[in-house]
Amino acid sequence: MSVREKNNVVVAGSADRPTVLLAHGFGCDQNMWRLVTPILARRFRVVLFDHVGSGRSDVSAWSAERYGDLHAYAEDIVDICAELKLRDVVLVGHSVAATIAVLAANRAPEWFAKLVLVTPSPRYIDEGDYRGGFSHADIEELLDALEANYLGWSASMAPVIMGNPDRPELGAELTESFCRMDPDIAQVFARATFLSDNRADLRQVSAPTLILETAQDPIAPREVGRFVRDQIAGSELVTLDATGHCPQLSAPELTASAIEAFADQSSMSR
């Protein structure tokens, strides 16, 4: 099958404009970018896709052996760039896809002009002086609950992750997104997400990088944003006037504006 079919690749905007490639996080699909896409498409060629096992990707391409590691998702991003013959890509990754974006850029830096890491976390588990926001016991409890009752876990956790209790429709949307994912696939992706440690990969990033965090994030505390900034040479950390882990839904205009401004800082040609 083609990469377009495997990852349900969708393109918006004019082909003669700089390219922004949007990568979604765990339990989501490209629909999570729907509020920022039309804003970005006014000035950029926007490429969206679904990770294998998510959304309308070809689930037959998924296997626990291959996708038990975040590197496989990074390889898929590089394959998308190769098949579409993209150049000078601004790669935007949300949540765990921020780490996947780092891995992709380190694997094939020639494809990527810039990185935008939206609410990233290279390691969710606290270790020594590093604060990821969770103890090892917290994560094991989270994974046990997910594996015991994925739909129940989704209904309880998604509103927490979204972090905007005054806007319950946002939590409901994330819950629905989680519940669309096959529980067996979700279990494997969750372990790859929450047990990974990609802190060392940050120091290898050579592309100009923007880190977007929110003022209050229940999944990636502010200490994580500062850590990522300190590890990626020359990177810029911006705190959005927003709350929760998914600012592309809770504050789409702010998120799109920050991406647009960073992508426009220097001219790029395809």
Side-chain angles (χ1 to χ4, degrees), residues 155-174:
S156 62
M157 280 299 298
V160 174
I161 293 169
M162 181 57 68
N164 282 262
D166 58 327
R167 301 163 68 188
E169 70 279 3
L170 296 179
E173 178 174 343
L174 191 60

Side-chain angles (χ1 to χ4, degrees), residues 123 125-133 199 223-224 226-227:
R123 179 167 173 80
I125 298 174
D126 300 336
E127 183 178 356
D129 293 334
Y130 174 79
R131 187 186 175 211
R199 289 175 292 177
E223 291 92 337
V224 175
R226 292 193 291 270
F227 177 86

Side-chain angles (χ1 to χ4, degrees), residues 79-131:
D79 289 344
I80 290 170
C81 292
E83 178 156 312
L84 272 63
K85 297 181 172 58
L86 305 178
R87 292 289 186 275
D88 296 326
V89 175
V90 177
L91 175 56
V92 182
H94 169 239
S95 192
V96 66
T99 296
I100 293 168
V102 165
L103 296 175
N106 289 348
R107 180 181 181 86
E110 65 274 15
W111 295 111
F112 305 104
K114 297 183 178 183
L115 296 182
V116 180
L117 311 180
V118 182
T119 59
S121 180
R123 179 167 173 80
Y124 292 91
I125 298 174
D126 300 336
E127 183 178 356
D129 293 334
Y130 174 79
R131 187 186 175 211

Side-chain angles (χ1 to χ4, degrees), residues 22 48 66 73 83 96 101 139 169 180 194 199 201 222:
L22 302 176
L48 304 107
R66 172 167 169 75
Y73 296 99
E83 178 156 312
V96 66
I139 293 299
E169 70 279 3
R180 286 197 299 268
F194 292 108
R199 289 175 292 177
D201 296 296
R222 298 282 294 276

Side-chain angles (χ1 to χ4, degrees), residues 11-257:
V11 180
S14 175
D16 61 355
R17 294 176 179 174
T19 299
V20 173
L21 175 58
L22 302 176
H24 66 82
F26 168 82
C28 303
D29 56 32
Q30 61 182 265
N31 188 57
M32 301 300 283
W33 295 109
R34 73 185 187 284
L35 300 180
V36 304
T37 296
I39 301 172
L40 294 175
R42 295 183 302 210
R43 300 186 63 180
F44 302 97
R45 181 192 194 193
V46 181
V47 179
L48 304 107
F49 71 98
D50 296 329
H51 293 302
V52 172
S54 303
R56 296 184 178 180
S57 66
D58 191 322
V59 180
S60 69
W62 184 89
S63 72
E65 180 179 7
R66 172 167 169 75
Y67 288 99
D69 187 286
L70 297 182
H71 287 274
Y73 296 99
E75 291 171 11
D76 286 348
I77 288 178
V78 174
D79 289 344
I80 290 170
C81 292
E83 178 156 312
L84 272 63
K85 297 181 172 58
L86 305 178
R87 292 289 186 275
D88 296 326
V89 175
V90 177
L91 175 56
V92 182
H94 169 239
S95 192
V96 66
T99 296
I100 293 168
V102 165
L103 296 175
N106 289 348
R107 180 181 181 86
E110 65 274 15
W111 295 111
F112 305 104
K114 297 183 178 183
L115 296 182
V116 180
L117 311 180
V118 182
T119 59
S121 180
R123 179 167 173 80
Y124 292 91
I125 298 174
D126 300 336
E127 183 178 356
D129 293 334
Y130 174 79
R131 187 186 175 211
F134 300 89
S135 68
H136 196 277
D138 291 335
I139 293 299
E140 286 299 336
E141 182 179 351
L142 180 152
L143 294 172
D144 287 345
L146 183 152
E147 293 171 6
N149 181 0
Y150 177 63
L151 295 182
W153 177 88
S154 299
S156 62
M157 280 299 298
V160 174
I161 293 169
M162 181 57 68
N164 282 262
D166 58 327
R167 301 163 68 188
E169 70 279 3
L170 296 179
E173 178 174 343
L174 191 60
T175 299
E176 183 179 345
S177 177
F178 279 13
C179 290
R180 286 197 299 268
M181 195 171 193
D182 181 283
D184 291 334
I185 294 175
Q187 290 174 23
V188 174
F189 198 3
R191 287 198 167 271
T193 296
F194 292 108
L195 296 177
S196 63
D197 183 355
N198 296 97
R199 289 175 292 177
D201 296 296
L202 298 174
R203 293 190 292 272
Q204 301 176 36
V205 173
S206 58
T209 300
L210 171 66
I211 303 146
L212 294 180
E213 65 177 7
T214 65
Q216 186 174 359
D217 186 336
I219 301 299
R222 298 282 294 276
E223 291 92 337
V224 175
R226 292 193 291 270
F227 177 86
V228 175
R229 178 200 60 198
D230 292 344
Q231 295 299 304
I232 300 179
S235 62
E236 177 185 358
L237 174 62
V238 171
T239 304
L240 299 174
D241 185 15
T243 60
H245 193 59
C246 304
Q248 70 272 49
L249 284 181
S250 62
E253 294 86 0
L254 286 175
T255 304
S257 178

